[in-house]
């Protein structure tokens, strides 16, 4: 919970500073917000690393094949990256660029899930045979 508190505090501090200097130095305000975002994401990834390793251990204990859950985890990663990058584009008035980024993310997510879809179809074909 303290990690979330620190992230919220950093975000609010960056927001206030950004609003304060945006009129005089918009480029510095943008860089400040980007730096705060990077710090928050790095801290979040560090916190999630332990949870992810526990989750992967549980999945392997349950006998779940890596090929089944790895595409899902990759898609979640793509979704996070596209959401953050799209929000940055929209914040800077580039909503068309954000839309194109979301389309690229959707295509990438679909391509990452193709092995999983193939396995589901093979399993379904095995049940029908």
């Amino acid at each position: 919970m303290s990690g979330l508190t620190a992230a919220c505090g950093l975000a609010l501090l960056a927001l206030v500073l950004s609003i304060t200097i945006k009129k005089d130095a918009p480029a510095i305000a943008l860089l400040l917000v980007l730096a705060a975002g990077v710090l928050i994401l790095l801290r979040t990834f560090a916190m999630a690393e332990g949870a992810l390793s526990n989750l992967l251990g549980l999945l392997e204990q349950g006998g779940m094949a890596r090929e089944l859950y790895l595409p899902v985890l990759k898609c979640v990663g793509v979704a996070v990256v596209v959401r953050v990058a799209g929000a940055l584009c929209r914040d800077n008035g580039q909503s068309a660029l954000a839309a194109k980024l979301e389309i690229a993310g959707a295509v990438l997510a679909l391509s990452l899930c193709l092995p999983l879809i193939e396995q589901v179809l093979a399993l379904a074909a095995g049940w029908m045979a």
Side-chain angles (χ1 to χ4, degrees):
M1 192 65 153
S2 67
L4 179 62
T5 305
C8 288
L10 178 59
L12 289 175
L13 178 64
L15 177 66
V16 169
L17 291 174
S18 164
I19 290 171
T20 304
I21 64 173
K22 189 172 188 175
K23 190 174 189 179
D24 296 326
I28 294 175
L30 174 63
L31 290 175
L32 174 70
V33 170
L34 286 174
V38 167
L39 289 174
I40 289 170
L41 286 177
L42 288 175
R43 176 128 173 120
T44 301
F45 292 149
M47 290 186 300
E49 186 178 5
L52 183 61
S53 65
N54 286 343
L55 175 66
L56 295 178
L58 288 173
L59 290 171
E60 287 179 8
Q61 272 183 336
M64 192 170 214
R66 217 182 151 113
E67 295 80 28
L68 293 177
Y69 62 82
L70 202 55
V72 175
L73 293 177
K74 287 180 181 179
C75 283
V76 170
V78 167
V80 168
V81 169
V82 167
R83 179 165 176 119
V84 170
L88 287 171
C89 291
R90 278 190 201 85
D91 284 350
N92 291 291
Q94 299 295 325
S95 58
L97 184 60
K100 290 170 181 70
L101 183 63
E102 289 167 356
I103 291 170
V107 170
L108 178 59
L110 182 62
S111 68
L112 288 172
C113 285
L114 284 177
L116 182 59
I117 294 169
E118 289 173 356
Q119 288 184 358
V120 168
L121 291 175
L123 184 63
W127 281 346
M128 294 197 166

